[in-house]
Amino acid sequence: MNSFKYARGIVALSSFVSIALSVYGGYALFSHALFWDMLHGYLGVFEAVSRGDHSIWWAQHNEHRIFISRLLFWMDLSWFSGSLVFLAVLNYALVIFAWTLACCALKERIKAFPHTRPLWAMCIMLMASWLFSWSHHENLLWAFQSQFFLAQSLPLAALLSLYKAHDSNRNLWFLAACFFGFCSAATMANGVLALPLMVFLALIVGMRKPWVVVLCALTALELWLYFSGYHSIPGHGSLSQALREQPIELLLYVFVYLGNPFAWMARNQPGIGALAGAVMVTSAVWMAFSVLRRRKSAALELSLLCFLLYIGGTALGTGGGRLIFGVDQALASRYATPALLAWAAWFVLAYPVLVRWGVNVARNLLVLASVLLCLLNVPKILFQLEWAPAINVQRSAAMLALELGIPDEKIIKTVIFSSEAGLSGSRYAVEHNVSVFGRPPVRDLRERIGTTLPPADAPPTHCFAHLDKAETIEGVPTYRRIRGWAFDPADSSKTQGWLVLDTQDRVVGAVLSGSPRPDVAQALNRSAGRAGFLGYAGTESMQGKVSLVNSATGCRVSLAVP
């Protein structure tokens, strides 16, 4: 028993370290800046509903109908002022939901192996560490990505609920399965596969005929609702074209997609991902053949196999549309989420193989897996904690450019594909102070340009700053992009906002600090380690001297223009 106690302690410690760092990474790297699809997909739903256009709820977002995520976006913008905190926390909550589903499946699986119950705690801790893996950090950090978690978790919840309905013969579980299955279509395009797979599962295990009829009716209704008015997306490939012209590459894409987390562990080596994906597919096929012989009594195994088929279909559909960008596109961090949950389901299916080697061997393997996962996860999180703040400052500077109406292509392209798209997508939010454009230090900066700052707003206090360079902006003669560092000990914000004043105390621009500057930290103190700033100032003011005034504290410092 002592050996199990020590083993559980090791697994608990390594899992805690991995999960705690993943959560801390989400906190430390959080930014209010809007990124990519958020400028149209997140702000767009609030603008449309505010104007009375409710067709936006079921409108396509690329090939998806993200009704549930749009509802969450609206909640964040309406109830939480568009701070993104609600959505960021929700991403982690959805990981916990996925982990809970995996634990429930494992609990059902272990019933057939009562002698292995000492392994239960170690297994669930390992799965928690696995599902909080930094391999899908893009989805964890990006507030827009709730649909990526929902599109995998809701179908799994539907299939497991259908299994419980069959096992207990209770209508309540069947209603839950119908609810989760129908809602799956309102997450992403792959969600439409959930109900057809539930019909397949119900038929193959011999569920009650009324349930099968209801599932068939719901499937028909779902498909009609989803594809009514549906249109293809220009610039994307098609599954039929990929099958016809690049079948081998498409198969390789599917394997790499399914093996994404293992490729990430091996520094994004597609070969490792393809090998892992091939192992999953071949083992799942083998398990399917062995289970089908006793399908009437194997509803749990078949529900999990249907989920693997769902993720495989997701990989195939994604490959059909994205293969034109190359096989390596399957290594994208956002695709790790479905693969992680698929491997969790695979682990539950493969549990009998693990315990067949004996409880002691299984215990040692779980300890080894937990420690290795921690050792692979932690350095990658720490590495990103070092360089990601500079990216966040660039994205915040892009919000500053959008607020000021400056078409700075170089900076705005860090958050969206063109300055034109960024300016058009943010126009309503800027005008109505929505989300980041309604929060200090960006709020109403456009209106402050040209105004004179009263002396009372800028009391003389002790702060430090230096202007490193002023850069010309292609196609924008009225502004310069300025870089340097500024530090106010009295301002504890991760991103400090500063107004730029000319010699007549007129506001001519603004900068945001928060970028790593180890040289400043060495010269001043450790607190100044993120004093690097990026922002804009009027071209005419870039002669002689300017002043920076901290928007929060009023601290003023004079700078020489290089």
Side-chain angles (χ1 to χ4, degrees):
M1 291 302 295
N2 283 336
S3 59
F4 267 99
K5 181 179 178 180
Y6 295 139
R8 280 194 295 268
I10 294 171
V11 174
L13 178 62
S14 56
S15 298
F16 173 79
V17 170
S18 188
I19 295 168
L21 266 180
S22 179
V23 173
Y24 176 74
Y27 165 76
L29 301 178
F30 173 79
S31 171
H32 295 288
L34 306 178
F35 178 68
W36 214 251
D37 290 353
M38 299 193 78
L39 285 164
H40 291 275
Y42 169 75
L43 295 177
V45 63
F46 188 78
E47 178 182 354
V49 172
S50 299
R51 297 185 188 280
D53 179 13
H54 294 283
S55 65
I56 188 67
W57 292 113
W58 197 242
Q60 281 182 239
H61 177 81
N62 293 328
E63 63 268 37
H64 313 291
R65 297 194 188 272
I66 56 172
F67 171 79
I68 297 178
S69 286
R70 282 185 172 130
L71 183 61
L72 296 170
F73 299 159
W74 181 86
M75 291 166 61
D76 183 65
L77 287 159
S78 299
W79 300 351
F80 304 101
S81 303
S83 68
L84 305 184
V85 173
F86 166 69
L87 295 175
V89 172
L90 182 64
N91 285 348
Y92 280 87
L94 290 173
V95 175
I96 295 174
F97 176 58
W99 171 71
T100 302
L101 293 173
C103 290
C104 290
L106 184 61
K107 184 178 180 180
E108 293 293 316
R109 190 70 160 139
I110 283 181
K111 286 179 180 179
F113 307 92
H115 65 287
T116 67
R117 287 193 179 277
L119 298 174
W120 159 251
M122 298 169 65
C123 288
I124 63 173
M125 288 187 288
L126 177 62
M127 285 199 296
S129 180
W130 174 255
L131 291 175
F132 274 93
S133 166
W134 202 243
S135 60
H136 61 155
H137 66 271
E138 286 183 3
N139 290 336
L140 291 172
L141 298 177
W142 191 7
F144 187 78
Q145 293 298 80
S146 57
Q147 68 271 15
F148 251 93
F149 298 103
L150 290 166
Q152 327 311 325
S153 299
L154 291 187
L156 179 57
L159 289 164
L160 290 177
S161 296
L162 193 59
Y163 151 72
K164 287 294 291 183
H166 177 69
D167 186 57
S168 64
N169 199 31
R170 294 182 62 183
N171 288 326
L172 187 60
W173 279 112
F174 178 72
L175 290 174
C178 292
F179 173 77
F180 287 129
F182 197 79
C183 287
S184 296
T187 57
M188 295 180 71
N190 55 331
V192 299
L193 297 174
L195 276 171
L197 285 170
M198 291 168 68
V199 172
F200 173 74
L201 177 62
L203 289 171
I204 203 168
V205 300
M207 290 189 186
R208 291 157 52 181
K209 288 184 180 179
W211 288 1
V212 176
V213 171
V214 170
L215 288 173
C216 289
L218 281 176
T219 300
L221 176 61
E222 171 207 65
L223 295 175
W224 177 77
L225 285 172
Y226 196 91
F227 291 105
S228 180
Y230 184 88
H231 59 85
S232 59
I233 306 301
H236 288 189
S238 68
L239 180 58
S240 59
Q241 181 184 9
L243 286 169
R244 186 173 58 253
E245 299 177 2
Q246 297 177 284
I248 302 301
E249 290 83 356
L250 180 60
L251 180 63
L252 184 61
Y253 186 102
V254 170
F255 285 163
V256 174
Y257 185 106
L258 296 174
N260 180 303
F262 294 94
W264 173 81
M265 294 177 189
R267 299 185 178 181
N268 283 334
Q269 293 294 324
I272 300 296
L275 179 62
V279 168
M280 173 185 281
V281 171
T282 53
S283 60
V285 170
W286 176 80
M287 285 187 282
F289 276 114
S290 63
V291 165
L292 284 173
R293 297 170 187 168
R294 50 181 180 85
R295 59 182 180 274
K296 300 294 183 181
S297 60
L300 175 62
E301 294 95 317
L302 286 169
S303 66
L304 292 171
L305 285 167
C306 282
F307 180 70
L308 291 185
L309 185 59
Y310 172 84
I311 299 297
T314 299
L316 185 65
T318 304
R322 303 296 195 276
L323 186 57
I324 58 173
F325 304 116
V327 171
D328 285 0
Q329 201 267 348
L331 295 172
S333 173
R334 63 185 180 275
Y335 296 152
T337 300
L340 286 168
L341 199 48
W343 281 102
W346 181 91
F347 174 78
V348 176
L349 281 167
Y351 184 78
V353 178
L354 175 67
V355 299
R356 192 177 300 160
W357 295 335
V359 172
N360 290 331
V361 173
R363 175 201 62 203
N364 295 336
L365 288 174
L366 290 171
V367 170
L368 178 62
S370 180
V371 172
L372 283 176
L373 189 57
C374 180
L375 292 176
L376 291 167
N377 210 33
V378 169
K380 291 179 181 288
I381 300 176
L382 295 177
F383 174 74
Q384 191 158 359
L385 285 171
E386 289 183 11
W387 63 263
I391 302 297
N392 283 346
V393 169
Q394 276 198 326
R395 292 177 179 176
S396 296
M399 299 300 102
L400 179 60
L402 296 175
E403 166 68 26
L404 296 176
I406 303 172
D408 185 353
E409 198 76 13
K410 180 178 179 180
I411 297 300
I412 294 177
K413 271 193 170 183
T414 62
V415 297
I416 197 169
F417 52 86
S418 74
S419 61
E420 182 181 359
L423 290 167
S424 65
S426 63
R427 185 173 294 113
Y428 179 88
V430 170
E431 292 173 356
H432 294 82
N433 290 331
V434 175
S435 189
V436 65
F437 304 107
R439 299 177 60 85
V442 174
R443 180 187 173 100
D444 293 332
L445 278 177
R446 185 180 299 191
E447 288 74 17
R448 299 195 71 175
I449 298 296
T451 62
T452 301
L453 192 70
D457 289 347
T461 55
H462 200 55
C463 52
F464 312 89
H466 183 267
L467 180 59
D468 292 337
K469 57 182 176 180
E471 305 167 346
T472 59
I473 306 171
E474 185 177 354
V476 186
T478 54
Y479 279 94
R480 292 287 186 269
R481 185 190 310 119
I482 60 175
R483 301 177 187 270
W485 59 269
F487 175 62
D488 182 357
D491 188 353
S492 59
S493 307
K494 285 198 296 185
T495 301
Q496 296 182 0
W498 301 76
L499 297 175
V500 183
L501 275 57
D502 64 10
T503 53
Q504 282 77 45
D505 287 342
R506 289 178 303 183
V507 178
V508 294
V511 301
L512 299 174
S513 66
S515 185
R517 286 295 297 260
D519 56 328
V520 178
Q522 187 174 7
L524 295 178
N525 61 60
R526 292 181 60 186
S527 301
R530 292 187 178 178
F533 71 65
L534 176 61
Y536 301 94
T539 301
E540 294 181 358
S541 66
M542 290 288 96
Q543 300 176 7
K545 288 189 175 183
V546 294
S547 297
L548 291 185
V549 177
N550 187 294
S551 301
T553 67
C555 179
R556 182 193 291 251
V557 59
S558 181
L559 302 176
V561 177

